[in-house]
Amino acid sequence: MSQNNKTPHNKNQATFILDGKTIPFTEGQTIIQAAMASGEYIPHLCFNPEFKPHGSCKICTVTANGRQAASCTQQTQADMVVESNTKPINDERRALLQMLFVEGNHFCPSCEKSGDCQLQATAYELNMMSPHFDHFSPDRPLDSSHAEYLLDYNRCILCSLCARASSDVDGKNVFSLAGRGIKTHLIVNAKSGKLADTDFTGDDKAAHVCPVGVIIKKRVGFAVPIGKRSFDEHPISATPHPKVRDV
Ligand code: FES
């Protein structure tokens, strides 16, 4: 799953050990940031290096000096020993993925985002062969009110990246997570609850960060054929953090 260490480091730089490899880091870097800088892949979904970490999906969990921690929020320390690509940790990640799959409605073969979806690609990476748990089969309506974009809430994994992009970059607060616990869900900031009644546009950063298939640009869904998409060509582990391709 991980790649060779690509970044030669200065001998005076502080380092930690990730799966037996020496990884340099700078003060304040989290484990995943330092790993990515060295070309090492740690599975993740709610983390995107362009935004403050949210620490919610726990797919990036590692053990750091023997204790479990989310590598997107845990700061690195000198000589820390981190394990990521181990059977017990990957088993836990796979179980989290299975829960995400059954909590929503993920029909990969017919999804516009298939082949570009980080949830799907991470499931392939971690050899998820079945959903294992009973499907919740929620009944979530689509929002096709906007002229250019469709929202399919069935695929939301509550990563909050659209909300972070909208507030931190676009200054708009178009998206938010509402509710608590199992009732947590994505909403848009309009009395009607419809995207068309917000100030969302295709130029917003929030339009381009969804790691799954919730925010979908209309009329381009299958422009790139299945079989030629990002994760059809390379597994998700081939780049420490994949870029989201619009579909
Ligand atoms: Fe770290 Fe989601 S990527 S908790």
Side-chain angles (χ1 to χ4, degrees), residues 32 43-48 54-61 70-73:
I32 203 168
H44 58 279
L45 288 174
C46 72
F47 178 71
N48 178 319
H54 191 234
S56 57
C57 78
K58 305 300 185 213
I59 297 292
C60 71
T61 296
S71 63
C72 68
T73 54

Side-chain angles (χ1 to χ4, degrees), residues 83-102:
E83 292 191 315
S84 173
N85 189 14
T86 67
K87 183 174 183 316
I89 294 172
N90 285 334
D91 286 348
E92 287 185 20
R93 290 174 176 149
R94 195 178 312 107
L96 291 171
L97 287 168
Q98 287 167 320
M99 288 185 225
L100 286 172
F101 269 90
V102 300

Side-chain angles (χ1 to χ4, degrees), residues 20-245:
K21 294 176 185 165
T22 302
I23 307 290
F25 70 94
T26 52
E27 200 182 330
Q29 265 186 326
T30 59
I31 294 170
I32 203 168
Q33 285 171 333
M36 280 182 181
S38 284
E40 297 294 329
Y41 170 72
I42 295 177
H44 58 279
L45 288 174
C46 72
F47 178 71
N48 178 319
E50 293 184 59
F51 301 96
K52 274 182 275 180
H54 191 234
S56 57
C57 78
K58 305 300 185 213
I59 297 292
C60 71
T61 296
V62 294
T63 58
N65 288 343
R67 299 180 63 165
Q68 287 206 338
S71 63
C72 68
T73 54
Q74 176 69 53
Q75 288 200 358
T76 318
Q77 292 167 16
D79 302 323
M80 187 180 248
V81 176
V82 177
E83 292 191 315
S84 173
N85 189 14
T86 67
K87 183 174 183 316
I89 294 172
N90 285 334
D91 286 348
E92 287 185 20
R93 290 174 176 149
R94 195 178 312 107
L96 291 171
L97 287 168
Q98 287 167 320
M99 288 185 225
L100 286 172
F101 269 90
V102 300
E103 187 273 337
N105 294 315
H106 298 276
F107 305 118
C108 298
S110 61
C111 177
E112 301 95 307
K113 201 72 182 270
S114 183
D116 287 306
C117 169
Q118 291 181 35
L119 178 68
Q120 179 195 43
T122 307
Y124 278 128
E125 183 70 31
L126 294 170
N127 296 316
M128 191 189 116
M129 304 303 284
S130 78
H132 181 74
F133 302 107
D134 289 340
H135 284 279
F136 288 24
S137 302
D139 182 13
R140 298 180 192 152
L142 304 185
D143 179 352
S144 59
S145 60
H146 194 279
E148 299 294 330
Y149 281 82
L150 171 82
L151 294 183
D152 188 340
Y153 293 106
N154 292 287
R155 302 164 181 161
C156 184
I157 57 170
L158 306 175
C159 68
S160 88
L161 278 166
C162 57
R164 283 179 274 165
S166 186
S167 63
D168 300 356
V169 180
D170 305 327
K172 289 188 173 180
N173 295 312
V174 169
F175 297 98
S176 183
L177 297 182
R180 294 169 69 90
I182 201 166
K183 297 214 163 101
T184 307
H185 59 286
L186 182 66
I187 56 169
V188 297
N189 188 9
K191 257 193 188 158
S192 66
K194 296 293 183 194
L195 189 64
D197 295 328
T198 70
D199 50 359
F200 176 85
T201 77
D203 293 330
D204 290 357
K205 186 73 177 171
H208 307 282
V209 295
C210 181
V212 289
V214 178
I215 304 173
I216 293 287
K217 188 162 170 41
K218 291 180 176 177
R219 295 176 286 278
V220 297
F222 292 93
V224 177
I226 286 175
K228 296 201 175 305
R229 300 177 176 190
S230 316
F231 305 128
D232 297 331
E233 308 271 2
H234 305 286
I236 195 166
S237 56
T239 48
H241 180 72
K243 290 274 176 225
V244 173
R245 188 178 70 76

